[in-house]
Amino acid sequence: VNELIINLPDDFHVHLRQGDETPDYAKDHEAHFNRIMVMPNTLPPIRSAESMLAYYQEIKAAAPSLNPLMTFKLHPDYTPEQLRALKEAGAIAGKYYPQGVTTNSEDGVREMDALFPVFAEMEKLGIVLSLHGEEPSAFCIDRERVFIKKMEKIWTEFPKLKIVLEHVSTLEAIELVKAAPAHVAATITVHHMCLTLNDLMGGALKPHYFCKPVVQGPQDRKAILNAACSGNPKFFFGSDSAPHLRHRKEQSVCAAGIYTAPVAMAVLMELFEEQQALDKLENFCSGFGADFYGLPRETSKKLRLIRQEWTVAEEYHGVVPLYAGRTLGWKAEKI
Ligand code: DOR
Ligand code: ZN
């Protein structure tokens, strides 16, 4: 195969930041994606219908052919009226950030149970629960493994609430999602499919491979790769593309996040080819996510992947992307 044409992909987990930076990141996504689900951990966070709509307009103005799917940051104080207003303004998911586990989560939730009344309203309104699955009090490497033990309680109490465990990083999480009811799914990033702790810190520390949840062991990476390539509709693409300016990564305190938007489709193509699963790529990045969220599949816009070498730029707008400087074997272009 030297060329593959697929329906234009959707990315169900993206960070676009705020202010002057947003248009650049939005345009990078516009080059290869149709719909993107935008995360609400901006400064200040997206917590109201008004701020969500304003953010939507900003993204749309910068990248008119990109279709942002909006989210808001969960906290226990939402009233049913506020949640209804968010739903009416187009919110498709509420994002749960446990306190302090990742970028801009200092205002996150301490006790999951405090959110149960909010989950009940979300279930009624048909708003998806999007989970950053890390337990803050656990050892850093084990945070996801500990967090996921609490998930069964959510899906049993709220059998109609759709739940997405974002950016799965462990074999245990893959197994749990596989065994869970059909209303529980997971997003998979490119970086969790190709990196392990060895890449991050097996030799010198590589800040541009640092993200949350942190990349794990070879058996975890393999399980994630297999799940993505398996054709199981519970697993779909969410890049967690998370830009931080170079100086915020290359300093004594390194921000968590990997900028993958410019390379995601080329790297996915390479990984699916290696796994002899090219026939599974389109569902993974242009089908299952939309199906889970109850959105129509986009069939009129396409992405062409061509076997062609190109070298990843060292920086995009001051951000070092995944595989900066590396030559990749596939090139993606919207047609
Ligand atoms: O690595 C990460 N970066 N993980 C997250 O959960 C948030 C993200 C960010 O906003 O930078
Ligand atoms: Zn994220």
Side-chain angles (χ1 to χ4, degrees):
V1 193
N2 288 315
E3 183 188 88
L4 186 71
I5 294 175
I6 58 173
N7 290 332
L8 195 61
D10 300 318
D11 183 343
F12 277 90
H13 188 132
V14 166
H15 297 271
L16 296 182
R17 310 309 181 205
Q18 62 283 315
D20 294 348
E21 292 179 36
T22 300
D24 286 335
Y25 308 144
K27 283 181 214 149
D28 284 348
H29 281 88
E30 189 182 31
H32 296 160
F33 296 97
N34 174 26
R35 290 167 289 208
I36 59 165
M37 192 168 108
V38 185
M39 289 295 136
N41 65 333
T42 45
L43 295 173
I46 305 300
R47 283 183 164 213
S48 68
E50 295 70 41
S51 61
M52 195 187 73
L53 280 172
Y55 195 32
Y56 174 89
Q57 297 299 350
E58 229 179 284
I59 300 163
K60 235 4 210 180
S65 70
L66 189 64
N67 292 303
L69 302 169
M70 304 309 288
T71 67
F72 59 94
K73 204 174 198 177
L74 289 176
H75 64 90
D77 307 333
Y78 283 112
T79 63
E81 292 68 40
Q82 288 171 322
L83 293 166
R84 197 166 324 114
L86 281 157
K87 171 76 182 180
E88 279 164 11
I92 67 161
K95 178 75 185 283
Y96 172 32
Y97 285 99
Q99 197 173 54
V101 291
T102 188
T103 305
N104 305 341
S105 64
E106 297 74 20
D107 60 348
V109 179
R110 234 177 227 287
E111 279 302 322
M112 189 177 78
D113 291 18
L115 281 177
F116 275 31
V118 173
F119 292 169
E121 285 304 315
M122 289 167 68
E123 184 181 36
K124 276 190 229 155
L125 292 165
I127 301 174
V128 173
L129 171 62
S130 162
L131 295 174
H132 183 109
E134 290 195 275
E135 167 51 46
S137 64
F139 179 56
C140 62
I141 301 296
D142 296 327
R143 283 183 189 155
E144 184 178 271
R145 293 186 186 87
V146 176
F147 178 90
I148 61 175
K149 295 186 180 142
K150 298 198 262 186
M151 284 180 59
E152 185 170 359
K153 189 167 169 197
I154 315 179
W155 79 59
T156 348
E157 295 245 349
F158 307 101
K160 294 206 177 72
L161 178 66
K162 288 188 191 174
I163 303 168
V164 179
L165 181 60
E166 302 290 342
H167 40 56
V168 274
S169 65
T170 57
L171 182 152
E172 288 83 349
I174 294 287
E175 290 306 320
L176 181 95
V177 170
K178 271 192 210 160
H183 62 107
V184 182
T187 53
I188 291 181
T189 76
V190 168
H191 48 277
H192 289 97
M193 288 169 79
C194 47
L195 304 175
T196 69
L197 271 173
N198 260 2
D199 299 290
L200 171 65
M201 50 186 270
L205 186 69
K206 307 271 188 2
H208 298 290
Y209 290 157
F210 177 60
C211 66
K212 291 296 180 79
V214 76
V215 294
Q216 299 261 339
Q219 68 289 0
D220 300 294
R221 186 188 79 89
K222 195 79 191 74
I224 294 163
L225 186 58
N226 286 343
C229 295
S230 69
N232 182 337
K234 281 168 160 275
F235 298 102
F236 52 86
F237 182 55
S239 69
D240 198 15
S241 180
H244 292 278
L245 295 173
R246 184 193 276 272
H247 72 272
R248 304 259 300 124
K249 298 286 289 177
E250 298 177 3
Q251 62 171 359
S252 58
V253 177
C254 169
I258 304 180
Y259 192 47
T260 53
V263 300
M265 289 314 305
V267 177
L268 276 183
M269 187 67 188
E270 213 158 285
L271 291 165
F272 276 68
E273 186 181 37
E274 270 164 32
Q275 297 301 304
Q276 300 181 348
L278 282 183
D279 59 324
K280 304 288 197 306
L281 181 66
E282 184 170 50
N283 271 329
F284 177 69
C285 59
S286 322
F288 293 152
D291 298 350
F292 185 83
Y293 276 89
L295 302 167
R297 289 190 180 206
E298 174 62 65
T299 52
S300 62
K301 297 182 241 168
K302 306 282 178 189
L303 187 77
R304 178 194 284 135
L305 294 138
I306 327 158
R307 196 182 294 284
Q308 187 187 312
E309 292 198 342
W310 64 290
T311 302
V312 182
E314 291 294 340
E315 273 187 20
Y316 284 79
H317 345 286
V319 177
V320 179
L322 177 68
Y323 292 157
R326 192 181 286 202
T327 298
L328 302 179
W330 288 95
K331 199 167 171 114
E333 61 181 36
K334 210 155 80 164
I335 51 174

